[in-house]
Amino acid sequence: LSQPAEAERVVDLVMARYGRVDLLVNNAAETAFHPFGLADGEQALADFDRFYATNVGAPLRLAVRFAQRFWHADAADNRAHNRNVVNVSSLSGHQVYSGGQGIYASTKAALNHLTRHLALEYQSFGVRVNGLSPTSFPALIPSEEVADAVVRLDRESVTGKIRRVDVEDVASGAEQAG
């Protein structure tokens, strides 16, 4: 999906098969940690373009192409079907962790801000855009918890929200709005 033509191909295939999309979940994740950090530079710089293309570019391309080809023309139908884009980010996009996460974390911070901008723009044609920022999954929380958080977020009517999903949130049964 990091190649520009692939997003268009996916949109074409989905629309041909299903005829509509009510929920787009962007769960792109290109990740590697750089143990020598950004100061060492070589591996972080080598990963930069690929990480941004996958973690930010692919979700943007899919959201834009679905909007252009399907959602933009019918705000009433979009609202009736509660259409929503959910971008899966990371807690790393909100806070600094050690261990060489600079490039990865910056992509997730960019995705969070892009989510807010898309929400502002897409509200004019009735499509909501939200995000989830889970901690590491499945290492720290089960993937099923992230999927359940997507479902809960999709059932709501909010837009422009980034929900944090951390170990404590899973234990208490509630995500934190951000």
Side-chain angles (χ1 to χ4, degrees), residues 28-31 50-59 88 103-104 107-108 111:
E30 180 75 50
T31 184
R50 188 176 80 252
F51 280 29
Y52 270 86
T54 302
N55 298 358
V56 182
V88 179
I103 300 297
Y104 170 76
T107 68
K108 294 305 184 171
L111 182 61

Side-chain angles (χ1 to χ4, degrees), residues 64-111:
V64 166
R65 294 303 184 221
F66 277 115
Q68 289 174 328
R69 296 183 184 180
F70 179 59
W71 296 325
H72 195 264
D74 198 348
D77 195 50
N78 294 334
R79 287 183 182 94
H81 287 94
N82 201 30
R83 293 198 169 112
N84 191 12
V85 175
V86 177
N87 292 321
V88 179
S89 178
S90 169
L91 284 181
S92 296
H94 295 279
Q95 59 197 57
V96 176
Y97 292 100
S98 62
Q101 295 189 36
I103 300 297
Y104 170 76
S106 70
T107 68
K108 294 305 184 171
L111 182 61

Side-chain angles (χ1 to χ4, degrees), residues 28-51:
E30 180 75 50
T31 184
F33 300 130
H34 304 102
F36 300 109
L38 299 174
D40 176 41
E42 294 313 310
Q43 190 58 49
L45 291 174
D47 289 341
F48 183 87
D49 289 338
R50 188 176 80 252
F51 280 29

